[in-house]
Amino acid sequence: MTFARNQWYVAAYGHEIGRELFGRTILGEPLVFYRSEETGEVVALADRCVHRRYPLSESRLEGDTIVCGYHGFTYDKAGTCVFVPGQARIPRTARVASYPVVEQDSFVWVWIGDRDRADEALIPRAPWLADPDYTTVCGMEPLAARYELLVDNLMDLSHETYLHGGYIGTPEVANTPITTEVDEDNKIIYVSRHMADAACPPFYSKSTGIEGRITRWQDIEYHPPCLYILHSRIAPVGVLPNEDGSDPDAFHVEVVYAITPETEHSTHDFWAVARDFALGDQEVSDFLRENNRTVVMQDVVALDILEQVIQKEPEDYQELSINIDTGGLAARRILKRMAAESDEPVKAAKAAKAAKA
């Protein structure tokens, strides 16, 4: 599968980017980011000098221009070369690509495709990550596996029982049926698992203080290709939301993943855990940060192994899917369609070029 290029992807957390040049590869494109001295806005340029391809992320900032660390070619925020060594005339083609950037909900989003189609209204929201009524811990782990494997992993949480036992997994997660809804028009997939009477895993018992069994809801909302949200509700058994929708006696956790392909076989795995309880409790924050990172690393190890298995298997290998895979299969279908739609302008341009030849 090729990438869905005409989409927004998370490139970084806002706190990662400052006045130091910051390099990161997105969809196979090496990019360099920095924060403008003049406006504070994030700038994204191709991370490759037009002269001899030296990485601009290994160069230096002078004000709001990047000076290539190899031969001194200098670029402004738009990627236009404003100085070349040894001559006054600047070649017309001396420029690097610039990319639309939006900062929203603590993330830095970048658009890799046709910039004329970069509508920031299309960026899905994760407002809890910047909401004072929530406390958030977050991180990012590199994954040496294709991004589709992480999508599969997150769309089917039954693996929590087996891979994450002792942290977030209990028998009820795997044994409770799911419901799946697909909004084809808006390209959103919903997968829900509501457990009326479940064991309380350490992840929640130690952070909420609940003792005994719980009512545990897992409501997934996936916005392909990049943003995954798990709305998690935890309460003592029998405690349900009020008829008016208020839910003061439950604990709510918004688990957010931004799934950004680095290359065809590697992924940036951004994760964040936002909670509406114990807001100022640093011990709870430290516990959730450490435990969620442990869970993420268990997934990383498993998916890195799976990537190697897939690369070595025959092309005609047929896997088996069951009821718990309905959300993941819908995600695969939508991602494939989005990638094909992104390919159409490229194919048309190649066909037109071939016709002229």
Side-chain angles (χ1 to χ4, degrees):
M1 179 191 296
T2 55
F3 301 127
R5 299 185 67 83
N6 286 313
Q7 301 291 331
W8 290 99
Y9 289 90
V10 170
Y13 289 106
H15 67 255
E16 290 185 276
I17 299 177
R19 290 291 296 160
E20 297 292 327
L21 294 169
F22 179 87
R24 181 160 281 164
T25 297
I26 311 292
L27 275 63
E29 298 286 344
L31 306 182
V32 59
F33 299 87
Y34 65 93
R35 214 170 268 283
S36 166
E37 184 176 56
E38 180 183 359
T39 66
E41 295 177 333
V42 175
V43 176
L45 302 176
D47 190 14
R48 186 182 293 112
C49 179
V50 295
H51 178 232
R52 289 297 181 263
R53 300 186 295 277
Y54 193 75
L56 296 180
S57 59
E58 298 295 331
S59 302
R60 72 177 188 273
L61 274 176
E62 286 188 0
D64 277 351
T65 61
I66 301 180
V67 180
C68 177
Y70 194 15
H71 293 106
F73 278 63
T74 303
Y75 303 89
D76 66 13
K77 294 187 294 183
T80 302
C81 184
V82 295
F83 171 80
V84 297
Q87 62 184 60
R89 188 183 68 83
I90 299 173
R92 181 177 53 83
T93 57
R95 60 179 304 112
V96 297
S98 65
Y99 298 85
V101 172
V102 174
E103 258 190 286
Q104 180 174 282
D105 300 331
S106 82
F107 288 132
V108 174
W109 294 82
V110 65
W111 182 275
I112 301 294
D114 179 356
R115 64 182 302 123
D116 292 336
R117 297 173 63 179
D119 181 359
E120 64 182 85
L122 299 176
I123 300 175
R125 298 301 307 271
W128 317 276
L129 305 188
D131 188 334
D133 291 331
Y134 284 78
T135 294
T136 301
V137 296
C138 63
M140 193 281 280
E141 300 299 333
L143 186 66
R146 63 198 71 188
Y147 79 103
E148 297 98 325
L149 294 181
L150 182 56
V151 174
D152 277 350
N153 171 278
L154 294 172
M155 296 302 290
D156 173 20
L157 295 180
S158 68
H159 77 275
E160 288 183 351
T161 299
Y162 306 99
L163 191 59
H164 306 311
Y167 291 93
I168 58 174
T170 67
E172 294 81 10
V173 180
N175 294 333
T176 302
I178 61 169
T179 60
T180 304
E181 296 181 20
V182 182
D183 182 342
E184 296 285 356
D185 292 335
N186 294 304
K187 297 184 177 71
I188 306 173
I189 302 163
Y190 302 93
V191 179
S192 292
R193 176 183 280 106
H194 287 191
M195 295 160 271
D197 186 350
C200 188
F203 189 85
Y204 291 122
S205 64
K206 293 183 179 180
S207 60
T208 66
I210 292 180
E211 297 181 358
R213 296 180 70 80
I214 59 172
T215 295
R216 183 181 182 186
W217 292 1
Q218 294 177 322
D219 294 304
I220 295 168
E221 180 183 332
Y222 176 47
H223 300 256
C226 191
L227 196 70
Y228 169 99
I229 303 163
L230 170 62
H231 307 288
S232 185
R233 178 187 185 273
I234 308 97
V237 169
V239 175
L240 299 175
N242 297 327
E243 290 185 3
D244 64 0
S246 61
D247 198 15
D249 299 316
F251 300 86
H252 303 91
V253 177
E254 303 294 342
V255 182
V256 179
Y257 282 85
I259 307 164
T260 300
E262 179 186 39
T263 68
E264 291 281 357
H265 301 286
S266 60
T267 305
H268 302 300
D269 182 358
F270 297 89
W271 59 266
V273 178
R275 67 182 190 274
D276 69 353
F277 57 92
L279 299 186
D281 193 322
Q282 188 61 44
E283 288 188 9
V284 172
S285 292
D286 293 342
F287 171 80
L288 289 176
R289 180 184 292 105
E290 178 184 350
N291 273 253
N292 200 73
R293 184 176 185 275
T294 297
V295 168
V296 169
M297 291 308 299
Q298 289 172 333
D299 284 334
V300 167
V301 170
L303 298 180
D304 286 356
I305 291 171
L306 188 54
E307 174 68 29
Q308 295 304 309
V309 171
I310 292 173
Q311 288 193 36
K312 295 175 184 177
E313 71 186 11
E315 291 185 9
D316 60 351
Y317 181 83
Q318 294 294 314
E319 63 182 4
L320 174 68
S321 296
I322 56 176
N323 291 341
I324 59 175
D325 299 310
T326 53
L329 293 174
R332 290 183 184 185
R333 184 180 70 252
I334 290 176
L335 287 170
K336 185 176 182 180
R337 186 168 77 239
M338 294 170 81
E341 291 169 355
S342 292
D343 269 353
E344 287 173 3
V346 176
K347 290 179 179 178
K350 287 183 178 178
K353 185 176 181 180
K356 289 182 179 178

